[in-house]
Amino acid sequence: MRERRASFSYRHTSSMDDDLSADPSESDEPGTDIFERGGMSTDDTQSYAALSLEDDEQTTQRDLGKARRRESAKRERSRAQRVSANGKRAHAQSASAKRGRSQAQNEPADRKHAQTQGESASHAQPRTRKKHRGRVAVIVIAVVSLLAIGGLANSHTPTHAVESPSTSTSAAASASVKTPTARASTHFAASASTSASKATPSVSASTATSTAATTTSGTLKIHYLDVGQGDSEFLELPDGKTMLIDAGPTDSGAKVVAYIKSLGYTSIDYVVASHPHEDHIGGMPRVLSSFQIGQIFAPKASNDTAAFEAFLDAAAATGIDTATAGKTIFSDGDCSATILSPPEGASYTDLNDWSAIVEVKLGSKNFLFPGDASIQVLKAACSDHIDILKVAHHGSEDSTDGAIVKRLSPSFAVISVGKDNSYGLPDQSTLDALATVSVFRTDQLGTIVATCAGDDITFNVPVPPTATAAAAAAADAAAAGAAGTAAGVAADTGNSSDADAAASDADDNGQMIVYITNTGKKYHLDGCSSLSKSKIAITLDEAKAEGYTPCSKCNPPS
């Protein structure tokens, strides 16, 4: 029996599972094993059995090594895919590898120790195999446990969001809303997921962004762009981020893009499309395709025009956050932007009233961007003192009156309007309502840049005098030389009524002052009914030199 045990030969396996399933108590063919057929002696049989055992153990160890290497490669691939959470798992895997190497290094010593105990080869073979199988089982259990622990740790490892310089409030994207048309609804509904997942772009290197949690001081620049008969305002915020409100008509898109790029920007953090009229959103597709965009805000109003369709297509990649009253576009320390209108659930028949009214604040300074909202909407939404008012609807009479000017008490006003536009804007009634305010006009001054630093607001162009101040100055000048001029004019014309009028209309040099209008080719005396909409002071000599002729109603001197 001793020889029979010693002569047992088991199969060389190609896998760890087969090796573990081998039964050391059975021979390949009882009574006719390879040792008996070869006629080996007992000593030869024992030596050969020992060599066979050692060879088999080496094969098993190689299989284990391959299994460990495969497992290690798998762990490396998994670790590369989870770069942000691999710290703990890498440590666990390193410890596991060390334990595995330590066990692998101890196995030869264990085998040598077992072989030096004086046991015969017939007893050493099954005992060593049992011990080896026990170690393999321990290793397998340890590897499986470590994998389970690693997976559990990975599933519970928190992911820390890294706040980039241009991180905005996009994670708080609004819920999807129903829009008047099915097409618009698709784009607005996408905002809840798209805005939250899209990475907010960073500004270019030439416009360094502050990463401070709050801004206690800084400079705000507002560019009221000259886009002809339309609206577009670009804001450089104190923290280095940017904001665009409208992009003018379609043919101004390239101009808006070129202007913003000339300032060194390659991205825009916040975009507001006030309402779906072409003179406000026509240039948006060009802008949205030329810059990295953070968030887009627009009211849930639609328009059946090619310009609005093009805007929706261009905004699809970013998604649209619905502009509703009370929503904060951004808030960074002393600087913030809030939407004041339209309110949730609003229903307007006029698209102008859907305008997203935006109020931007820097410290104690307030800036209002009302789009084309009407007087009624402005009265319902706005009540704060405004330092710079972007006059609604290009100075139309339905958007500005004395009451709203009194409520907002603006220090300055900007009218974005096209030169010699066919609408006759700004309306004279609007200019009259703003008589006590310094009014800047893009049709007269081009692009206007307001810079707010602390309590100071400066402009890139001279501040125009208020209409009231100009009128007072003209009145003072007229009174200075009234007497002499009146007598001379009366003598020349023989008309006493002309003399009386001239007595109150003369400049410091005694020149007769008459008045012309924005559109007419007549000059008038003060008080003429033809001056109801516009009234521009000019000397009599200048009026004649420019080809103006006397009005037949008030009969000024000729």
Side-chain angles (χ1 to χ4, degrees):
M1 290 298 293
R2 184 182 182 91
E3 274 188 28
R4 297 292 293 177
R5 286 184 188 148
S7 65
F8 172 73
S9 175
Y10 60 87
R11 294 183 299 274
H12 288 271
T13 60
S14 60
S15 70
M16 187 162 55
D17 292 336
D18 291 339
D19 179 58
L20 292 175
S21 65
D23 187 349
S25 66
E26 297 180 2
S27 63
D28 290 334
E29 188 177 350
T32 57
D33 59 77
I34 60 173
F35 298 114
E36 289 182 354
R37 287 196 299 272
M40 293 183 181
S41 64
T42 301
D43 292 338
D44 292 337
T45 299
Q46 293 175 350
S47 299
Y48 195 91
L51 291 174
S52 178
L53 174 62
E54 183 177 355
D55 181 62
D56 193 64
E57 289 174 348
Q58 290 175 354
T59 300
T60 302
Q61 187 169 349
R62 283 197 300 272
D63 291 339
L64 289 172
K66 290 179 181 178
R68 283 196 295 271
R69 286 193 295 275
R70 285 195 298 270
E71 189 60 40
S72 177
K74 182 178 180 181
R75 288 197 300 269
E76 287 298 326
R77 287 192 299 271
S78 177
R79 181 168 51 198
Q81 295 171 354
R82 297 187 295 270
V83 173
S84 64
N86 68 350
K88 292 183 179 180
R89 184 170 181 179
H91 180 73
Q93 289 173 345
S94 177
S96 172
K98 289 181 180 179
R99 286 195 296 272
R101 288 195 298 270
S102 176
Q103 290 170 350
Q105 292 171 356
N106 289 337
E107 285 180 11
D110 292 339
R111 288 198 302 273
K112 183 176 180 181
H113 179 72
Q115 291 173 356
T116 58
Q117 298 303 310
E119 298 183 10
S120 65
S122 59
H123 290 289
Q125 182 177 358
R127 185 180 303 167
T128 304
R129 285 174 56 81
K130 290 179 180 179
K131 185 183 294 183
H132 183 65
R133 287 209 304 270
R135 291 197 188 97
V136 170
V138 171
I139 292 173
V140 172
I141 293 172
V143 170
V144 173
S145 299
L146 286 173
L147 289 175
I149 293 172
L152 184 62
N154 182 60
S155 65
H156 290 281
T157 301
T159 301
H160 299 283
V162 180
E163 184 176 355
S164 67
S166 59
T167 299
S168 65
T169 59
S170 63
S174 63
S176 61
V177 297
K178 295 182 179 179
T179 57
T181 65
R183 175 170 172 76
S185 178
T186 301
H187 289 270
F188 280 87
S191 67
S193 59
T194 307
S195 297
S197 61
K198 181 176 177 66
T200 305
S202 302
V203 296
S204 63
S206 62
T207 54
T209 301
S210 170
T211 57
T214 59
T215 302
T216 56
S217 62
T219 299
L220 170 66
K221 278 191 175 183
I222 306 175
H223 304 255
Y224 298 87
L225 304 183
D226 178 13
V227 292
Q229 186 60 32
D231 257 14
S232 183
E233 293 83 38
F234 181 71
L235 286 71
E236 296 180 89
L237 307 176
D239 62 355
K241 296 178 184 177
T242 57
M243 180 176 181
L244 178 69
I245 302 176
D246 290 334
T250 303
D251 59 5
S252 69
K255 181 177 182 180
V256 174
V257 169
Y259 186 89
I260 296 174
K261 286 188 174 181
S262 73
L263 299 176
Y265 293 97
T266 58
S267 65
I268 303 174
D269 295 280
Y270 316 103
V271 173
V272 177
S274 67
H275 65 292
H277 273 159
E278 189 271 343
D279 59 332
H280 289 251
I281 52 96
M284 277 293 182
R286 186 68 175 267
V287 172
L288 298 181
S289 64
S290 301
F291 296 93
Q292 295 178 2
I293 304 299
Q295 284 181 278
I296 301 174
F297 296 86
K300 60 173 184 179
S302 66
N303 197 7
D304 188 18
T305 62
F308 184 63
E309 290 289 318
F311 164 66
L312 291 181
D313 289 339
T318 303
I320 300 175
D321 286 335
T322 305
T324 53
K327 180 172 289 188
T328 298
I329 298 175
F330 67 83
S331 181
D332 188 0
D334 286 350
C335 191
S336 64
T338 305
I339 298 172
L340 304 182
S341 185
E344 189 72 37
S347 178
Y348 300 115
T349 57
D350 189 343
L351 277 180
N352 288 329
D353 286 340
W354 279 101
S355 293
I357 301 177
V358 178
E359 182 178 24
V360 176
K361 294 186 176 184
L362 178 62
S364 61
K365 300 300 181 182
N366 301 331
F367 310 88
L368 190 66
F369 304 88
D372 282 354
S374 66
I375 294 172
Q376 291 74 20
V377 172
L378 284 170
K379 288 180 179 178
C382 309
S383 58
D384 293 342
H385 160 72
I386 300 299
D387 290 277
I388 301 181
L389 169 67
K390 200 287 298 181
V391 178
H393 203 184
H394 321 288
S396 174
E397 62 182 349
D398 63 358
S399 293
T400 306
D401 64 3
I404 196 66
V405 172
K406 182 178 181 181
R407 171 178 292 205
L408 301 179
S409 62
S411 303
F412 306 98
V414 177
I415 301 177
S416 182
V417 65
K419 187 175 183 179
D420 299 326
N421 65 87
S422 59
Y423 305 100
L425 299 176
D427 193 85
Q428 185 60 44
S429 64
T430 298
L431 297 177
D432 291 342
L434 294 167
T436 59
V437 182
S438 294
V439 177
F440 298 80
R441 292 171 51 172
T442 58
D443 63 329
Q444 296 176 345
L445 301 171
T447 294
I448 298 157
V449 182
T451 301
C452 180
D455 292 332
D456 297 327
I457 297 177
T458 58
F459 296 86
N460 65 324
V461 294
V463 177
T466 66
T468 300
D476 291 343
T485 304
V489 171
D492 292 338
T493 63
N495 190 328
S496 60
S497 62
D498 289 347
D500 293 338
S504 59
D505 290 300
D507 64 10
D508 292 338
N509 298 320
Q511 292 292 317
M512 174 71 180
I513 298 296
V514 294
Y515 298 88
I516 58 176
T517 64
N518 283 327
T519 57
K521 289 299 181 181
K522 304 285 185 180
Y523 61 87
H524 313 266
L525 292 175
D526 190 16
C528 180
S529 60
S530 299
L531 300 175
S532 61
K533 289 191 174 181
S534 60
K535 178 181 175 182
I536 302 172
I538 189 173
T539 66
L540 177 61
D541 292 341
E542 289 173 341
K544 291 179 179 179
E546 293 182 18
Y548 288 89
T549 58
C551 172
S552 59
K553 294 180 181 180
C554 60
N555 296 315
S558 57

